[in-house]
C-alpha cells in the first residue's frame, strides 16, 4: 500500500496515513482489552476514543482513494489486497473454533480492495468527471447512505425508509444490507464507505491537475512516515501482537 510515483514521493501522505493507522491500532488495543479480556481499567479510554474511530477510519479510506491516483495498477493492487482480506476472513472464522468469536467478514481491507478494483476498471470514464462534481457527489452520497444500517437513507430530518425485505438475509452484507444475525468485528460495507474512497480519488485528480504543494515532499515525522509506508503489514500483524501483549498484561494485573 505504498504511495508510489515514478519520480516523486509525497511523504506527507505517508505521515497522514501513518497517523490514521496509529489511531486505529490504539482503538483496536482498547477494544481487545475491554471485550476480549475484560480489562476494566481501559474502559474509560475506550469510551473516550470510540466516537472518534469512524473519523480515523474515514480519513484512512479517503487517503487510500487519493493515493490510488499515484499507483501504477489499481487492479493488481486491489487483487493482492483482496487476497490478504480473504485470508484474514478465513483465519478469523477458523479461530471461532478456538473460542475467539471475532470474525472479520467484510472489514476495511475488503472494502479498500474492492474500491481499488472498481477504480482500476472505471478509471477512464471517471477521469472525464470534473473533480469538484465527483467529490461533491461522493460526499453527498456518503451522507445519504451513512444510516443504511438503520434501514433508511438520508440525514437530519430528511429520511427515506428502505423496504424491509432488503434486510431479510445477509447475502448483500458487503453492500450494507444484513439482518440482526450478521456480525463482523471489523465491518466497512461498500455503502457508504466506497464513496469516501472515491472522494479521495477525485481529490487526487485535483492534485494531479494542479500539482501537489512542495511541502508534501517533506519527511518531517519519520515515525508516522514508517507507519504509512508499511500500513498493510502493520495492519496485518498488529492484532496478533496486541492480543499477545494484552494476554501478558492480564496475567500480570
Amino acid at each position: 500500500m505504498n504511495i508510489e510515483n515514478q519520480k516523486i514521493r509525497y511523504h506527507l501522505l505517508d505521515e497522514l496515513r501513518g497517523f490514521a493507522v496509529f489511531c486505529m491500532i490504539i482503538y483496536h488495543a482498547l477494544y481487545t482489552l475491554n471485550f476480549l479480556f475484560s480489562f476494566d481499567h481501559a474502559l474509560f479510554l475506550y469510551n473516550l476514543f470510540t466516537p472518534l474511530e469512524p473519523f480515523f477510519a474515514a480519513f484512512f479510506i479517503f487517503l487510500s482513494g487519493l493515493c490510488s491516483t499515484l499507483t501504477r495498477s489499481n487492479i493488481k493492487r486491489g487483487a493482492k489486497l483482496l487476497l490478504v482480506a480473504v485470508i484474514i476472513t478465513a483465519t478469523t472464522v477458523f479461530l471461532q473454533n478456538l473460542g475467539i468469536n471475532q470474525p472479520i467478514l467484510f472489514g476495511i481491507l475488503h472494502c479498500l480492495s474492492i474500491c481499488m478494483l472498481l477504480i482500476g476498471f472505471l478509471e477512464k470514464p471517471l477521469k472525464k468527471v470534473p473533480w469538484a462534481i465527483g467529490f461533491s457527489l461522493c460526499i453527498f452520497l456518503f451522507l445519504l447512505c451513512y444510516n443504511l444500517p438503520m434501514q433508511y437513507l438520508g440525514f437530519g430530518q430528511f429520511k427515506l425508509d428502505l423496504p424491509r425485505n432488503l434486510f431479510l438475509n445477509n447475502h448483500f452484507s458487503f453492500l450494507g444490507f444484513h439482518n440482526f444475525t450478521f456480525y463482523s468485528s471489523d465491518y466497512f460495507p461498500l455503502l457508504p464507505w466506497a464513496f469516501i474512497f472515491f472522494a479521495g480519488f477525485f481529490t487526487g485528480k485535483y492534485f494531479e491537475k494542479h500539482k501537489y504543494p512542495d511541502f508534501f515532499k517533506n519527511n518531517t515525522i519519520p515515525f508516522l512516515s514508517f507507519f504509512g509506508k508499511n500500513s498493510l503489514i502493520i495492519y496485518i500483524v498488529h492484532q496478533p501482537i496486541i492480543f499477545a501483549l494484552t494476554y501478558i498484561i492480564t496475567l500480570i494485573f
Side-chain angles (χ1 to χ4, degrees), residues 55-224:
F55 294 97
F56 296 135
F59 189 46
F60 183 76
I61 294 171
F62 176 84
L63 287 172
S64 295
L66 190 156
C67 294
S68 69
T69 62
L70 298 173
T71 191
R72 293 185 179 89
S73 174
N74 280 295
I75 294 177
K76 290 182 179 179
R77 187 169 169 239
K80 290 178 181 178
L81 188 60
L82 181 59
L83 176 61
V84 172
V86 170
I87 292 173
I88 289 175
T89 293
T91 302
T92 56
V93 170
F94 172 77
L95 289 175
Q96 285 184 291
N97 298 324
L98 302 179
I100 303 175
N101 191 26
Q102 297 291 321
I104 299 177
L105 303 182
F106 201 85
I108 195 168
L109 296 187
H110 299 74
C111 180
L112 291 177
S113 63
I114 299 300
C115 288
M116 291 173 190
L117 290 172
L118 289 174
I119 288 291
F121 288 114
L122 299 175
E123 189 167 4
K124 287 185 178 180
L126 287 175
K127 284 183 177 180
K128 299 178 181 179
V129 179
W131 79 270
I133 294 176
F135 176 85
S136 301
L137 183 61
C138 287
I139 296 300
F140 172 77
L141 291 174
F142 172 76
L143 295 174
L144 182 69
C145 297
Y146 187 76
N147 292 303
L148 190 143
M150 306 300 292
Q151 301 186 4
Y152 71 87
L153 297 178
F155 45 88
Q157 296 181 346
F158 303 96
K159 296 181 181 179
L160 175 64
D161 292 329
L162 294 170
R164 293 294 183 265
N165 58 4
L166 290 175
F167 301 89
L168 294 179
N169 56 57
N170 300 323
H171 299 326
F172 296 97
S173 57
F174 67 96
L175 288 175
F177 302 101
H178 58 83
N179 61 30
F180 68 93
T181 65
F182 178 80
Y183 174 72
S184 179
S185 62
D186 184 34
Y187 183 50
F188 286 86
L190 292 176
L191 301 177
W193 295 103
F195 295 122
I196 291 295
F197 186 96
F198 277 76
F201 168 81
F202 284 112
T203 302
K205 287 301 176 186
Y206 167 82
F207 282 121
E208 265 191 356
K209 182 177 180 180
H210 297 87
K211 296 184 179 181
Y212 284 85
D214 288 338
F215 66 85
F216 271 64
K217 304 172 187 176
N218 299 333
N219 187 4
T220 56
I221 311 177
F223 169 73
L224 292 180

Side-chain angles (χ1 to χ4, degrees), residues 225-241:
S225 182
F226 173 82
F227 268 63
K229 291 176 183 177
N230 300 281
S231 56
L232 177 58
I233 187 64
I234 290 174
Y235 190 89
I236 292 172
V237 304
H238 84 279
Q239 280 287 38
I241 293 174

